[in-house]
Amino acid sequence: MEGLLTMSQKESDRLSLIKQLIDKKISARESSEILHLSERQIFRLLSRVRSEGSKGIISAVVGVPKVCMIKYLESLHLVANFLVTNNKASGKSPQRSIV
């Protein structure tokens, strides 16, 4: 049983056209014109839907944090650790909390 998938309207439209393509109701050329994609992209989507099911139509980067955000959070973590370590070593109490 397939779980619940969340997809945009654009992804839902793509999925319905790819399913029509699988059922041979439309051609790859027709679906590429409707979706404003190349036939090559249509065949890539078709391949992903065949291998992964409906999940294959959803963008692979959804829910993945951007590299700049990861680096920013890592730097905040390093600064917080530095301040905590220095406050413990010097015996000072922190003046304000971080995070």
Side-chain angles (χ1 to χ4, degrees), residues 44-96:
R44 284 181 173 179
L45 287 173
L46 179 63
S47 174
R48 283 182 52 191
V49 168
R50 283 184 173 155
S51 65
E52 300 175 31
S54 299
K55 186 176 116 180
I57 208 81
I58 299 172
S59 175
V61 295
V62 172
V64 177
K66 296 178 182 175
V67 173
C68 61
M69 182 57 77
I70 293 170
K71 290 184 179 192
Y72 173 73
L73 293 173
E74 287 174 347
S75 65
L76 282 179
H77 183 71
L78 289 173
V79 169
N81 283 339
F82 174 79
L83 292 174
V84 168
T85 303
N86 283 344
N87 284 335
K88 285 181 181 178
S90 66
K92 296 179 186 176
S93 61
Q95 293 181 2
R96 60 179 143 149

Side-chain angles (χ1 to χ4, degrees), residues 1-3 8 10-12 16 23 26 29 33 42 46 49-50 55 72 76 78-80 83 86 89-90 93-94 99:
M1 182 177 147
E2 208 169 302
S8 68
K10 185 176 179 179
E11 290 167 333
S12 177
S16 67
D23 295 337
I26 60 172
R29 177 172 286 159
E33 289 172 1
I42 294 297
L46 179 63
V49 168
R50 283 184 173 155
K55 186 176 116 180
Y72 173 73
L76 282 179
L78 289 173
V79 169
L83 292 174
N86 283 344
S90 66
S93 61
V99 184

